[in-house]
Amino acid sequence: MSIIPSFVSGRRNNNALDNWDPFKGFLFPSSLSTYLPEFSRETSAFVNTRIDWKETPEAHVFKADLPGLKKEEVRVEVEDDRVLQISGERKIEKEEKNETWHRMERSGGKFLRKFRLPENANMDGVKAAMENGVLTVTVPKVQIKKPEVKAIQISG
């Protein structure tokens, strides 16, 4: 018996990827429910929600992949101390009596992400749009007025 999984050694086993867990025994979000009851399967969407944040000369732009969610299921909020909060909930399909599930990998549940924005963020101009399952939040930058430099003539 080899300790190397079959997909590495070249042998084919249909269940090799299902049975082998390289992270088994490590404390990762999927196993947090064992140690902390508040981390259940329902919070896995919170952990798995990926958000990109880039800064352009004009704005801070956040992009979140939220496949299958409608804009009504997502909330974008701004807190007083320059904190952008993106939250929502992905509903889990309920199993019906006449259905047989073979695999359920899509995560469901609530998610919440917070970002502290820098001083140059214009909190009054935040805009959000959702298209094809991608949420884009644009936070414009405050136009910092450069100090006016006035040349003074030197007499004498």
Side-chain angles (χ1 to χ4, degrees):
M1 182 169 131
S2 173
I3 61 170
I4 300 171
S6 61
F7 66 88
V8 174
S9 65
R11 290 183 296 156
R12 293 197 49 97
N13 178 352
N14 291 341
N15 295 326
L17 295 176
D18 292 339
N19 295 331
W20 185 63
D21 183 3
F23 301 109
K24 187 173 184 176
F26 287 97
L27 182 62
F28 281 110
S30 62
S31 62
L32 281 177
S33 59
T34 306
Y35 304 101
L36 302 169
E38 63 270 15
F39 285 96
S40 66
R41 189 178 198 298
E42 289 187 6
T43 60
S44 65
F46 164 78
V47 176
N48 294 327
T49 302
R50 307 275 190 223
I51 299 178
D52 295 337
W53 174 3
K54 73 176 177 180
E55 184 175 350
T56 67
E58 299 81 29
H60 296 274
V61 180
F62 296 83
K63 288 196 176 204
D65 289 337
L66 303 172
L69 289 182
K70 300 176 187 133
K71 66 180 184 177
E72 296 81 19
E73 298 171 316
V74 179
R75 293 181 66 175
V76 177
E77 300 172 321
V78 176
E79 295 178 2
D80 290 336
D81 50 348
R82 291 186 337 273
V83 174
L84 174 68
Q85 178 174 303
I86 301 171
S87 63
E89 183 172 4
R90 179 177 289 124
K91 304 279 190 229
I92 298 175
E93 268 188 71
K94 300 294 181 193
E95 185 174 345
E96 301 292 329
K97 289 189 183 234
N98 61 349
E99 296 176 338
T100 303
W101 285 83
H102 294 282
R103 183 173 299 272
M104 183 180 263
E105 294 183 345
R106 296 184 306 148
S107 60
K110 297 178 182 179
F111 64 91
L112 170 70
R113 298 290 305 272
K114 291 185 177 188
F115 300 91
R116 181 166 307 282
L117 297 169
E119 297 280 335
N120 67 353
N122 177 1
M123 303 306 287
D124 295 326
V126 178
K127 291 185 169 80
M130 188 127 168
E131 186 176 339
N132 295 326
V134 178
L135 173 71
T136 302
V137 179
T138 304
V139 182
K141 290 183 178 180
V142 176
Q143 297 300 327
I144 300 172
K145 188 176 180 182
K146 295 181 181 178
E148 190 176 313
V149 178
K150 181 179 176 185
I152 307 296
Q153 291 289 342
I154 302 173
S155 62

